[in-house]
Amino acid sequence: MQPLNPVAVAPMGNELAISWNDGVEQYLPLELLRRACPCAVCCGEPDVMGRGETPARHYKTGSFELKSFEFIGGYALRFIWVDGHSSGIYSYKLLRSL
Ligand SMILES: [Zn+2]
């Protein structure tokens, strides 16, 4: 079986369109995409007391606007947001689960 790969990725207004090599077309709202950011800053880590507290996420102007994106090693996409955030690496598996 061929590994899952996006054949086309294109921002369209408030959405990101992804065409996958299995024929699936996905339209992801940019806000959903940003809120799903898997980086440590956005997801947080349990603190020393073991409370898995979710950190306060600070979204601001541009947080839900995509500046650019890049492919990472054939397994993931990195999104660069207008507010400067760019540490989230979204595996293809994660993207498909959104
Ligand atoms: Zn993040």
Side-chain angles (χ1 to χ4, degrees):
M1 201 179 109
Q2 227 188 339
L4 199 60
N5 262 302
V7 290
V9 180
M12 295 172 67
N14 293 326
E15 294 181 318
L16 185 77
I18 306 177
S19 302
W20 297 94
N21 60 349
D22 63 354
V24 170
E25 300 247 332
Q26 212 180 0
Y27 296 91
L28 295 169
L30 293 179
E31 184 172 340
L32 176 99
L33 197 62
R34 175 60 187 267
R35 289 183 187 279
C37 181
C39 84
V41 176
C42 293
C43 289
E45 280 153 15
D47 63 20
V48 288
M49 306 298 286
R51 297 170 301 188
E53 244 177 77
T54 310
R57 299 188 192 191
H58 299 291
Y59 297 118
K60 51 197 173 194
T61 312
S63 291
F64 304 123
E65 285 177 63
L66 202 54
K67 192 173 171 192
S68 61
F69 61 88
E70 61 191 28
F71 290 91
I72 308 275
Y75 75 96
L77 277 170
R78 178 209 293 269
F79 296 106
I80 294 112
W81 301 92
V82 169
D83 67 357
H85 192 66
S86 64
S87 44
I89 292 174
Y90 295 64
S91 68
Y92 295 160
K93 203 178 157 198
L94 169 67
L95 287 168
R96 274 295 285 256
S97 72
L98 290 177

